[in-house]
Amino acid sequence: MALVPLQYTFGSIWHRRGATLLAVLSIAATVAVLAGMLCLQQGFLRVQTQGGRTDLAVFMRPGANSEGESAFDKVRAQIVLKETPELATDDNGAPLASAEMFLAVSLPKADGGKTNVPMRGVQPMTFAIHGDDLKIIEGRNFTPGTDEVIVGAATQGRIANCNVDDELEVNMTKFRVVGVFQARGSHNSEIWGDVDRMRQALKFEHYNRIIGVLKPGVTAKQVHDRLIVHPRAPAKVVDEKTYLESQTGMLSGMLGVMGGFLAFLMGIGAIFTGTNAMLSLVASRTHEIGILLATGFRPWAIFVSFLLEAALLGLGGGIVGCILVLPLNGMQTGTTNFETFTDIAFAFQFTPTVLVTALVTALLLGVIGGAFPAFRASRLTPTQALRRS
Amino acid sequence: MPWTLLFRNMIGHPVRSTLTVLSVAVALALLCVLDATARGYTAAVDLAAQNRLVVMSQVSLFVPLPLSYQSKIQQVEGVKTTTKFQWFGGEFGDRGGFFAQFGIDAESFESMYPEIGLVEGSFEEFRGERTGCVIGKGLADQFGWAIGDSVPLTTPLFPRGKSGEEAWTFVVRGIYKALRPNFDEQTMFFHFDYLRESLEAGAALGPPGVGTYAIEIDSGVRAETVMTAVDGLFENGPQRVRTTPEAEFNRQFLSMMGNIPLLLRSIGGAVLFAIFFAVLNTMLMAGRERTRDLGIMKALGFKNGYIGAMLVMESMLLILIGSVLGIALAHLLAGIMKPFVSGWAPGFAIDGAVLLNGLAMAAALGLISGLAPGLRAAKILPVRALREDA
């Protein structure tokens, strides 16, 4: 029941390093593409869902899937704001809730072209709701009731005209940037100002969504079940965490599918290359295999030994592939989140998920590519193998 | 060239040659579809009509323009005709049934968009039915829709009925093919008036107004003059507009998607490397194993250059066979990808330019990967080659 010693496997790889290197690189190229796409997906997911709160409820029009699609007229917004007993209150007894307007505004990018930047109109209570999650890191907060705005930290350098004292022209109103804020997740890519000033600038009759802090022990589901059938102001209610997660499906899925599709096709190519390399290794070692068989190693031990060698090659390819994409980690990029059609800034994230997926894929590619050559090696008979030189 | 010997060598290692050919085929197919996507992506810009302009809100594509704007735009000098374009955002069924739908003015649409060629049904029948629609051939194939079929769609933008989940129903009255690749065949056009009347009657909720207007200008009129005039009309609100040539509008729309061409190019680069390694690997192995044979040929008096050229030829031959298979595979892949890609890359097609590009790269790779063992074989001394046991 003896396995072929590991030293033999390592020794063989080293001996034929030229040929094995090509197989390793071909697996590495495949893994690099897969890992690169996954880094994008992970970065996007992290920014988008970072710290979504379960005690923060999001109210939308029934049927709406995102805040851009949702709309509440003034009357309905007031009903939700004032007549929802499940909402927590501040020291003065006012509900911790804010009606918001949301619009993707077309603005020039710093590096040319245009993109849709999310503009969010908020009510003063918003700052009590977000508390320490939101900090002004430059300048000051906007004064309610004025045409002042603050911009998220991630707009800096990405979007033109987003520096303190810049003016942003929205329809016929000029909004002045007075501060830069740092907040959780995707809020960082947004522009915030007074909701009613913004609505006026755009001649909007409606608000888009309402957010509110739930009293301890109350779940968004309970509020939803009550409000979805509300006679005067029906609303769909989800918690913020669920809401944010629901906004990632399309882009995240697209990146995943694209990565998977490319990795699958390139993987087929890599398996062929791997098989070729292993076949040539087996062929060049026919004599040695004969000796191993003659000294009493069983065919299955030969099979395992060659398969192990292939797995090591695969793993090597995986490691090289990961090293190739590692410099991308933390690199800032951005794209449009198709769910909201707005620009979102995020960084490539080389997470453990990426590492594990990449290495497992590489290992699989190696093993699949090595299976046939290993099988062929194990089928040799000692006499046959020794005779062939 | 000793063609018989070349073929014999290839057939002598059936497994290896097959695997190499297949990996070249897969890689080339991938390269072709990536290239086709990148080219198809810019087709909407490159092939946009010169005589069409788009009017949108200056602020955002998501701010609807008042319906009263249309007659004012129509009166601007140089404007030949106009149509509304309203994004509907509808979905068919629960999963995967998402495609683009636009509400348009049926009267002007046909003459403004000559690249939309009906292959089944007719514009007359479409115009004659309030709930009628015209769909792309791609959609008809994907969902199996034919003339006269009902298409139920739900949309969160325009919730219908008390529950908000009642479906809008459209009847297929025309199926179009794009006569130029700047239009995709995955879009549905329906009567804007059907939407407007439903909203006005309270049958559905949603923002009044219209997303964009398209303008066709008279021939010989400068687009800039019309653009300035239209923008000037609404300088004082209620919604300011920005009028751009169709190409510019499409370019901005695409630039929102981020740097897709760069992404595709990076992936294409990785694929190229993968083919290169595959072929180089095979050729190095072939060169090494045949050292003895080559030594004999040299001893028989074959020139170094000839022997080097032979290995290059062998590599090119593998690439050639792989390329033929790869092109077939690319067409197959393109067929599968088309419904997913053509929405944002309308010109997506494996055409002559794509194939030429792919073949040129494959040939260059074949040459380089054949040169490595070829040069070695050309340089090696016959005595050493003969001594080496393969």
Side-chain angles (χ1 to χ4, degrees), chain A residues 56-316:
Chain A
L56 189 60
V58 176
F59 299 74
M60 290 185 291
R61 179 173 74 189
N65 296 319
S66 70
E67 55 186 316
E69 296 166 354
S70 163
F72 287 102
D73 59 34
K74 217 175 159 82
V75 177
R76 290 184 188 202
Q78 285 308 314
I79 294 173
V80 173
L81 283 169
K82 300 273 163 60
E83 299 178 22
T84 307
E86 293 93 339
L87 291 175
T89 52
D90 69 357
D91 299 341
N92 304 320
L96 280 168
S98 159
E100 296 185 339
M101 189 210 79
F102 177 88
L103 180 70
V105 179
S106 171
L107 290 177
K109 285 196 271 194
D111 57 0
K114 288 207 159 197
T115 190
N116 286 320
V117 182
M119 195 170 81
R120 186 180 296 283
V122 297
Q123 294 183 325
M125 193 60 96
T126 289
F127 297 97
I129 293 171
H130 288 288
D132 291 340
D133 286 338
L134 188 141
K135 289 188 192 72
I136 303 289
I137 55 171
E138 196 191 327
R140 59 177 175 82
N141 201 346
F142 69 85
T143 312
T146 66
D147 295 337
E148 292 177 346
V149 291
I150 51 176
V151 297
T155 60
Q156 302 285 293
R158 278 182 60 75
I159 311 298
N161 301 331
C162 272
N163 299 304
V164 173
D165 284 337
D166 279 349
E167 265 182 354
L168 289 170
E169 195 170 3
V170 175
N171 208 16
M172 289 167 299
T173 311
K174 287 191 171 76
F175 286 91
R176 202 160 71 85
V177 180
V178 295
V180 179
F181 68 93
Q182 177 88 49
R184 287 174 300 135
S186 55
H187 284 326
N188 260 333
S189 301
E190 299 177 349
I191 297 172
W192 286 22
D194 184 278
V195 64
D196 293 314
R197 294 300 308 155
M198 284 189 176
R199 283 171 56 234
Q200 207 151 38
L202 292 160
K203 313 273 185 286
F204 276 8
E205 303 282 326
H206 62 270
Y207 296 92
N208 286 92
R209 71 168 189 180
I210 295 158
I211 57 166
V213 180
L214 294 169
K215 279 182 178 155
V218 180
T219 65
K221 178 86 178 59
Q222 292 165 341
V223 187
H224 173 82
D225 290 344
R226 186 175 71 78
L227 284 188
I228 195 73
V229 292
H230 194 284
R232 287 171 300 144
K236 166 182 175 176
V237 187
V238 291
D239 64 59
E240 191 197 25
K241 190 165 184 289
T242 314
Y243 176 75
L244 290 175
E245 280 163 7
S246 74
Q247 301 303 300
T248 61
M250 213 189 289
L251 183 60
S252 158
M254 210 176 92
L255 290 171
V257 166
M258 231 163 110
F261 172 74
L262 289 166
F264 174 72
L265 285 175
M266 290 185 70
I268 292 178
I271 287 172
F272 292 157
T273 311
T275 305
N276 258 345
M278 285 303 294
L279 275 178
S280 119
L281 289 185
V282 170
S284 71
R285 290 211 301 264
T286 308
H287 203 75
E288 294 169 25
I289 295 166
I291 295 172
L292 287 172
L293 287 168
T295 48
F297 284 104
R298 312 294 304 163
W300 66 262
I302 307 277
F303 179 79
V304 169
S305 165
F306 275 94
L307 205 59
L308 190 68
E309 194 170 324
L312 281 176
L313 290 188
L315 203 60

Side-chain angles (χ1 to χ4, degrees), chain B residues 111-158:
Chain B
S111 66
M112 279 185 76
Y113 294 89
E115 54 266 72
I116 294 196
L118 290 204
V119 287
E120 281 176 64
S122 71
F123 273 110
E124 287 74 50
E125 290 164 55
F126 167 53
R127 280 192 290 263
E129 185 155 355
R130 200 45 121 200
T131 59
C133 68
V134 170
I135 60 171
K137 187 83 177 73
L139 281 182
D141 293 344
Q142 190 181 346
F143 296 105
W145 290 329
I147 300 290
D149 282 0
S150 284
V151 176
L153 300 175
T154 51
T155 167
L157 285 180
F158 302 102

Side-chain angles (χ1 to χ4, degrees), chain B residues 153-372:
Chain B
L153 300 175
T154 51
T155 167
L157 285 180
F158 302 102
R160 200 181 163 89
K162 236 184 146 43
S163 66
E165 282 161 19
E166 207 173 289
W168 292 74
T169 308
F170 300 92
V171 182
V172 179
R173 284 292 165 228
I175 296 175
Y176 74 87
K177 279 200 130 181
L179 302 181
R180 290 199 309 161
N182 61 325
F183 258 89
D184 64 86
E185 294 175 353
Q186 303 283 133
T187 303
M188 169 177 145
F189 299 99
F190 64 94
H191 292 279
F192 177 83
D193 285 344
Y194 172 37
L195 173 63
R196 184 177 54 85
E197 284 160 13
S198 303
L199 293 180
E200 284 171 1
L205 288 174
V210 59
T212 59
Y213 293 103
I215 298 177
E216 183 185 345
I217 55 175
D218 288 318
S219 57
V221 173
R222 274 170 49 89
E224 286 75 12
T225 320
V226 176
M227 280 154 51
T228 317
V230 172
D231 289 354
L233 275 182
F234 310 109
E235 190 61 32
N236 296 317
Q239 297 294 348
R240 282 191 183 170
V241 299
R242 193 175 62 228
T243 310
T244 51
E246 188 180 277
E248 173 63 14
F249 178 80
N250 290 346
R251 200 183 59 72
Q252 285 182 9
F253 191 79
L254 290 179
S255 79
M256 291 191 323
M257 304 241 197
N259 205 338
I260 296 238
L262 177 71
L263 184 69
L264 293 175
R265 269 204 298 277
S266 320
I267 297 167
V271 174
L272 269 182
F273 261 102
I275 324 187
F276 179 58
F277 294 143
V279 184
L280 185 62
N281 193 14
T282 310
M283 288 317 296
L284 283 175
M285 280 190 274
R288 201 179 300 113
E289 278 168 23
R290 225 167 297 131
T291 312
R292 243 173 102 90
D293 302 6
L294 298 175
I296 296 172
M297 288 183 74
K298 284 197 175 191
L300 287 174
F302 284 97
K303 292 275 181 296
N304 286 345
Y306 188 88
I307 285 175
M310 213 177 74
L311 280 167
V312 172
M313 252 349 259
E314 191 177 331
S315 146
M316 296 296 276
L317 204 60
L318 285 175
I319 290 267
L320 182 73
I321 301 172
S323 299
V324 171
L325 279 178
I327 289 167
L329 189 60
H331 279 97
L332 201 75
L333 272 181
I336 299 170
M337 285 168 65
K338 197 164 171 116
F340 305 102
V341 179
S342 67
W344 47 275
F348 177 78
I350 307 286
D351 55 13
V354 171
L355 289 181
L356 204 66
N357 188 41
L359 286 176
M361 280 199 242
L365 285 184
L367 197 64
I368 300 170
S369 40
L371 272 178

